[in-house]
Amino acid sequence: MVAALFGCWFRVGGARSALVGPVIPVGRTVVQISMSRSQVVLLGLGLLLILLLYVGLPGPPEQTSWLWGDTNVTILAGLTPGNCPIFYREVLPLPQARRVEVVLLHGKAFNSHTWEQLGTLQLLSQRGYRAVAIDLPGFGNSAPSEETRTEAGRAELLQRVLRDLKVHNAVLVSPSLSGHYALPFLMRDHQQLHGFVPIAPTSTQNYTQEQYWAVKTPTLILYGELDHILARESLRQLRHLPNHSVVKLRNAGHACYLHKPQDFHLVLLAFLDHLP
């Protein structure tokens, strides 16, 4: 290949040599490039390496959309009544409504809009679920509230939101920070919940093994494989819930629903579809 490309081999008195390279015309002058044998070999090896690298390099990564749902689903928005209104986004079931309704909380760096961007609200609507995503007090479009200073206040706030929005047979999805609200509610009012989906929530260490044993709510414990701190700590406590299953999302971190949205949605829908 090298000889064909560069024409650098010729004979002098019957012997082969590698002293002359290609002949390149420059105007009316002919310039002859001299190359040593070692230079020719190195150049040939370099070209071969480039060729191998070009063939062996992987193609560009697949472009995956963050949004995984029908963008044509209508998303309603509003504020709950009362002195400390809570902002919410809501979708209604497109086909025949299923029994349970999904309430989506959020982590510290997020708000209800996250579930719209991710396509979770749209997807739940397509599958026949009414779904409500709320902005916790002090996040998104919800003002801070003094009520959230106590555990009882946070549980009562969540209970009031469900009552104001006429949510029945609720399945509560609680990632990260929102465990600060979901767990007090679970311990006090778990009879109102038809299902619970904790995603590495905070505050799990605040309750005893006996308190967890008393909760009979069907629970899907979700966490990311790469979340080595909060996921492990919460899993250690949540395993005391008597009616639970555990799913670990591979190659996903703390906000596993963002890192692996399709896997998250498939697991969530499977849990919801099989609730009695």
Side-chain angles (χ1 to χ4, degrees), residues 101-105 130-134 158 161-162 167 170-174:
E101 299 170 310
V102 184
V103 178
L104 299 149
L105 307 182
R130 179 194 179 199
V132 180
I134 71 171
L158 201 50
V161 168
L162 298 185
V167 174
V171 175
L172 193 60
V173 179
S174 173

Side-chain angles (χ1 to χ4, degrees), residues 93 95-102 127-130 166-171 191-194 272-276:
Q96 182 177 357
R98 296 177 185 256
R99 182 182 179 192
V100 302
E101 299 170 310
V102 184
R127 289 292 288 263
Y129 292 102
R130 179 194 179 199
K166 295 179 172 59
V167 174
H168 308 288
N169 298 316
V171 175
Q191 298 87 353
Q192 296 184 32
L193 289 180
H194 207 70
L272 296 174
D273 290 349
H274 288 88
L275 285 173

Side-chain angles (χ1 to χ4, degrees), residues 102-120:
V102 184
V103 178
L104 299 149
L105 307 182
H106 60 81
K108 186 175 183 178
F110 309 105
N111 54 49
S112 64
H113 188 46
T114 302
W115 300 113
E116 179 182 349
Q117 289 179 300
L118 197 62
T120 308

